Amino acid sequence: MASSHAANLWVLLGLGLAGILLMTKKLKKSIREDFGAFIEKLQLLPPPQPAPPKAPHPLTSLTFAVSDVFDIEGYVTGFGHPDWARTHEPASRTATVVSNLVEGGATCVGKTIVDELAYRFCVLLGYWISVVCGMFVFSINGTNKHYGTPTNPAAHSRVPGGSSSGAAVAVAAKLVDFSLGVDTVGGVRVPAAFCGIMGFRSSHGAVSQMGIIPVATSLDTVGWFARDPNILRRVGHVLLHLPFAIQRSPRQIIIADDCFELLKIPIDRVDRVLIKSTEKLFGRQVLKHENLGDYFNSKVPSLKGFHKTNGELKTSPLRMLANVMRLLQRFLFNPMEDFLFIAMFTLLAVLMSSLRHEFKHNHEDWINSVKPTLDAAISAQVHEMLEMDDAEIENCKSIRNEMRVAINSLLKDDGLLVIPTTGFLPPKLGGKELLSEDYQNCAFSLLSISSISGCCQVTVPLGQHDKCPISVSFIARHGGDRFLLDSVQSMYASLQEQADIVATSKPSANAVSQEQSAEIAKEKLKNLETTFLSVLCSWERELYFTMGNQAYKDKQLQKAIGYYTEAIKLNGNNATYYSNRAAAHLEQGSFLQAEADCTKAINLDKKNVKAYLRRGTAREMLGYYKEAIEGELSLCNCSVADVDFSYALVLEPTNKRAYLSADRLRKVFM
């Protein structure tokens, strides 16, 4: 029997081990060799190398992939949706940027997954957007229900970021040297941040968009990913057609303090890296600080007029200010964020209004004719989209122009603006965080800056926090792409060095989490409220006291007593309030009340001369002559003490009233 039980135990143990092995194999299989990055493999070979003495192609021996929005001759551009691929013919020519890269010596090896139609609607961005904006927005998560979500090589359980998810994953997994994507509202910057690589968003209009499926033409820009800053720069020089020039270093690096308040990881984890690296390379004098919310409020006047139109509009952006104020109530614990939140939220409205209008203009006919398979919520959003009127369109253009001028003025030709890329660590796949207001608000507030202004921006990784990639972004003026690429190349090694030092060192005493920052902010607000109430109370006390003095001068004694009483209610430890009320009681003939007030004043302030004089007068009028003169202490050869008038003389020897009163009373008793 014992041997039978032992045999059964070994069988169960064997089955358990087999199950573990099968699950391990299944898990490995679920993470495909290409991490699910590619939708189609292909090969576009570069031309032969030129004969010496000509220089070789600048991108020789490099491989790259392109997001499935770039045309390649003979292949269907799928736009992240099978219905789009099914209803479109193969491209008749290759996108200009792809041709330029191949001619530059690089080899294209495939097309990568993008989000559905290069975006997903508010079903992925949370109910808050549909309530506040009433419109769809782009996904920054990198999910695609038709082709699967690529696996994030830097954090397998986290989203890879989108919309150019596959392109970022291909680079992060070292499947290619670089890749191409399109950045409209973060489609390159976010996946670069989530996958721990570099992502460059070019200045709007700086790189040709011929042969690329448009999403929102006024916002779309070509972007590219790389692990190596030198490759990032070489690709940029080819795409931007940059001639040789001397590399320049930044003369000012501006840290957007209010943007870093949005970080959901310890701020110390990022700013120490930035500050140490900048000081080491360029000196402390290069560092500057700016509050972007305040700056945009003063430099972008059209933001304030975005919601002002003739008549009532049917679409919710024009009702957004009311909703913004409602949402602001949730953010009042941190006053530092208010101006930034208002400015950025309005920028987000501008961004989404432009995007909505242009996407419908570009693709409405196809959606209506093909009726593609979409999520129910997505489909509803498509058919509820409304056109923007001319006033809205013109105001959006004004805001974009003013934003560009404002940032160009801030940075000039040699400045960099530093902000967090998203503020959050990459969310977990299917996690509730993907739908949270805080996540979406934080991300799109930061992403709107470059999207609306059209300025160039680069995401730079700074190691990991809690086993997830973290990053920072640098922004240069519109047209400053070369300067930004040069700056990143010169700073990258130092940034990584400092990131490693910070990651391996103990957290400084100043390092606090976002939750701790929120608690500190709440405490500061509470203290501020307490201080304000204290100041208000003090001001109210002084007002009653002043009104009491005026009423006393005007012989309105009862009013004066009333005002002094209110002041005493607010502060019962002020001797002057009691002494002055005693003066009013004396004028009224209320000597007992006057004596009581003076005694209280003397107890609070032993050197209050007027209180001694008034109490002496009150006692004199009450017939307490001895008490008016005598006390417990010996004074002037008298066996009395605490003599009110005499004590007043001790405090003020030249006080004539005290002298005459004391002398008069002595004569009465001599």
Side-chain angles (χ1 to χ4, degrees):
M1 182 68 69
S3 62
S4 176
H5 282 301
N8 290 337
L9 183 61
W10 280 107
V11 170
L12 290 173
L13 182 59
L15 289 173
L17 289 172
I20 293 172
L21 289 172
L22 287 172
M23 288 298 293
T24 303
K25 287 182 178 180
K26 186 175 180 181
L27 180 61
K28 288 182 178 178
K29 188 176 180 180
S30 66
I31 302 175
R32 292 178 288 177
E33 289 184 4
D34 65 359
F35 286 78
F38 286 91
I39 199 168
E40 190 167 13
K41 296 288 185 68
L42 52 88
Q43 196 171 58
L44 294 183
L45 297 174
Q49 292 291 341
K54 290 186 178 179
H57 299 310
L59 303 178
T60 297
S61 76
L62 297 181
T63 59
F64 73 102
V66 300
S67 295
D68 196 20
V69 294
F70 293 85
D71 286 343
I72 293 180
E73 184 179 353
Y75 294 87
V76 176
T77 306
F79 207 16
H81 199 293
D83 287 338
W84 182 279
R86 177 178 56 82
T87 55
H88 286 77
E89 297 295 324
S92 58
R93 59 180 298 180
T94 299
T96 301
V97 289
V98 178
S99 297
N100 289 343
L101 293 171
V102 173
E103 290 168 4
T107 300
C108 181
V109 298
K111 291 185 141 191
T112 56
I113 288 177
V114 296
D115 287 11
E116 185 177 358
L117 301 181
Y119 76 97
R120 284 176 69 82
F121 297 86
C122 65
V123 65
L124 286 177
L125 295 181
Y127 178 69
W128 76 281
I129 285 290
S130 64
V131 170
V132 180
C133 298
M135 63 187 80
F136 60 86
V137 295
F138 282 66
S139 169
I140 55 172
N141 302 325
T143 56
N144 188 310
K145 73 168 188 177
H146 303 288
Y147 299 112
T149 300
T151 301
N152 185 340
H156 293 177
S157 63
R158 307 279 177 153
V159 296
S163 60
S164 303
S165 53
V169 167
V171 171
K174 301 182 180 179
L175 304 175
V176 292
D177 296 304
F178 68 93
S179 60
L180 288 183
V182 171
D183 190 307
T184 305
V185 292
V188 168
R189 291 166 285 168
V190 174
F194 286 0
C195 292
I197 58 176
M198 285 176 289
F200 191 91
R201 170 196 162 93
S202 59
S203 294
H204 184 261
V207 178
S208 171
Q209 296 188 46
M210 291 292 294
I212 304 173
I213 298 177
V215 178
T217 310
S218 67
L219 302 172
D220 294 343
T221 61
V222 174
W224 53 97
F225 303 93
R227 299 181 303 277
D228 184 333
N230 183 51
I231 292 177
L232 190 81
R233 182 170 177 264
R234 286 162 61 189
V235 172
H237 277 236
V238 170
L239 293 179
L240 295 162
H241 304 288
L242 298 176
F244 174 79
I246 298 175
Q247 187 168 332
R248 294 184 297 127
S249 297
R251 300 183 68 176
Q252 58 172 346
I253 295 178
I254 302 172
I255 297 176
D257 290 333
D258 49 352
C259 289
F260 277 93
E261 291 291 331
L262 301 176
L263 266 179
K264 304 306 177 183
I265 64 171
I267 296 175
D268 185 75
R269 177 62 182 81
V270 177
D271 65 6
R272 280 175 62 195
V273 175
L274 287 171
I275 292 170
K276 293 292 184 182
S277 179
T278 302
E279 290 178 349
K280 181 179 178 180
L281 291 172
F282 312 116
R284 181 182 290 269
Q285 75 282 354
V286 171
L287 280 171
K288 294 179 174 60
H289 295 265
E290 183 65 64
N291 185 301
L292 277 191
D294 291 342
Y295 184 77
F296 288 154
N297 274 338
S298 64
K299 299 294 183 180
V300 188
S302 294
L303 279 176
K304 300 173 184 177
F306 176 64
H307 305 283
K308 296 178 182 178
T309 58
N310 296 325
E312 183 181 21
L313 295 185
K314 294 179 284 185
T315 183
S316 59
L318 299 166
R319 303 193 304 270
M320 270 193 53
L321 284 183
N323 290 309
V324 168
M325 293 306 297
R326 177 174 58 81
L327 289 175
L328 263 177
Q329 293 174 358
R330 305 179 190 179
F331 290 84
L332 286 178
F333 68 84
N334 192 344
M336 290 287 292
E337 291 183 13
D338 290 355
F339 284 121
L340 178 71
F341 182 75
I342 295 171
M344 296 306 186
F345 208 99
T346 309
L347 289 181
L348 176 58
V350 176
L351 185 70
M352 295 310 155
S353 294
S354 300
L355 187 150
R356 173 192 56 168
H357 169 72
E358 294 184 28
F359 187 90
K360 181 176 181 180
H361 175 75
N362 290 327
H363 304 300
E364 180 183 21
D365 291 342
W366 177 79
I367 291 173
N368 290 335
S369 63
V370 175
K371 295 178 173 54
T373 303
L374 300 170
D375 288 340
I378 295 176
S379 180
Q381 289 294 323
V382 170
H383 297 293
E384 288 175 6
M385 289 187 299
L386 300 173
E387 289 286 359
M388 295 170 65
D389 64 19
D390 293 340
E392 277 188 286
I393 295 171
E394 288 305 312
N395 205 25
C396 285
K397 291 179 180 177
S398 296
I399 291 172
R400 286 202 297 268
N401 292 336
E402 290 171 8
M403 277 284 293
R404 183 174 299 179
V405 170
I407 292 182
N408 287 356
S409 175
L410 177 67
L411 301 179
K412 301 181 174 60
D413 291 330
D414 52 11
L416 296 175
L417 177 65
V418 192
I419 64 171
T421 306
T422 65
F424 275 75
L425 296 175
K428 292 182 178 179
L429 288 163
K432 294 181 180 179
E433 191 176 42
L434 294 171
L435 302 177
S436 75
E437 293 180 12
D438 196 19
Y439 170 64
Q440 300 298 336
N441 171 57
C442 177
F444 283 98
S445 293
L446 296 167
L447 295 168
S448 295
I449 299 171
S450 289
S451 290
I452 293 179
S453 67
C455 293
C456 51
Q457 179 176 336
V458 63
T459 297
V460 178
L462 293 182
Q464 292 197 335
H465 179 76
D466 287 343
K467 298 181 180 180
C468 288
I470 59 175
S471 69
V472 72
S473 275
F474 295 91
I475 298 174
R477 70 185 302 277
H478 181 265
D481 302 69
R482 177 206 288 275
F483 169 66
L484 184 56
L485 288 166
D486 289 348
S487 297
V488 169
Q489 186 185 39
S490 65
M491 296 178 67
Y492 186 80
S494 177
L495 287 169
Q496 301 313 304
E497 177 187 358
Q498 294 300 325
D500 290 340
I501 292 172
V502 171
T504 55
S505 63
K506 294 182 179 179
S508 72
N510 297 325
V512 293
S513 66
Q514 183 68 15
E515 290 74 15
Q516 290 173 314
S517 297
E519 289 302 319
I520 292 171
K522 287 180 182 177
E523 188 63 29
K524 286 182 178 179
L525 187 61
K526 184 178 179 181
N527 292 339
L528 181 64
E529 182 181 1
T530 302
T531 302
F532 174 75
L533 290 175
S534 176
V535 171
L536 182 63
C537 185
S538 175
W539 176 83
E540 190 177 5
R541 290 196 309 267
E542 291 304 310
L543 177 64
Y544 280 126
F545 179 66
T546 302
M547 292 170 67
N549 290 342
Q550 186 60 47
Y552 180 82
K553 290 179 181 178
D554 295 339
K555 302 299 181 181
Q556 296 177 338
L557 301 177
Q558 196 56 45
K559 276 189 177 183
I561 292 170
Y563 289 138
Y564 290 137
T565 301
E566 291 300 321
I568 290 169
K569 287 179 182 179
L570 293 171
N571 183 6
N573 295 318
N574 190 308
T576 304
Y577 295 169
Y578 287 102
S579 179
N580 281 24
R581 188 171 69 175
H585 281 310
L586 282 175
E587 291 290 331
Q588 273 194 331
S590 302
F591 303 121
L592 283 173
Q593 291 91 331
E595 183 194 22
D597 276 351
C598 288
T599 300
K600 180 67 175 178
I602 291 169
N603 289 335
L604 291 171
D605 180 8
K606 299 295 184 184
K607 296 182 179 180
N608 193 314
V609 175
K610 290 183 178 179
Y612 285 110
L613 293 174
R614 288 165 183 166
R615 189 173 71 173
T617 301
R619 288 177 171 179
E620 181 181 5
M621 300 306 296
L622 286 169
Y624 300 159
Y625 299 117
K626 282 218 168 200
E627 293 179 7
I629 302 176
E630 298 174 358
E632 296 177 357
L633 298 176
S634 175
L635 186 64
C636 299
N637 296 322
C638 298
S639 61
V640 293
D642 194 17
V643 181
D644 290 333
F645 295 127
S646 298
Y647 198 80
L649 275 174
V650 172
L651 294 173
E652 289 186 10
T654 58
N655 190 305
K656 188 174 182 181
R657 179 186 168 190
Y659 174 78
L660 293 175
S661 297
D663 185 62
R664 183 180 67 254
L665 288 177
R666 285 192 182 91
K667 288 179 180 178
V668 170
F669 289 98
M670 287 181 67

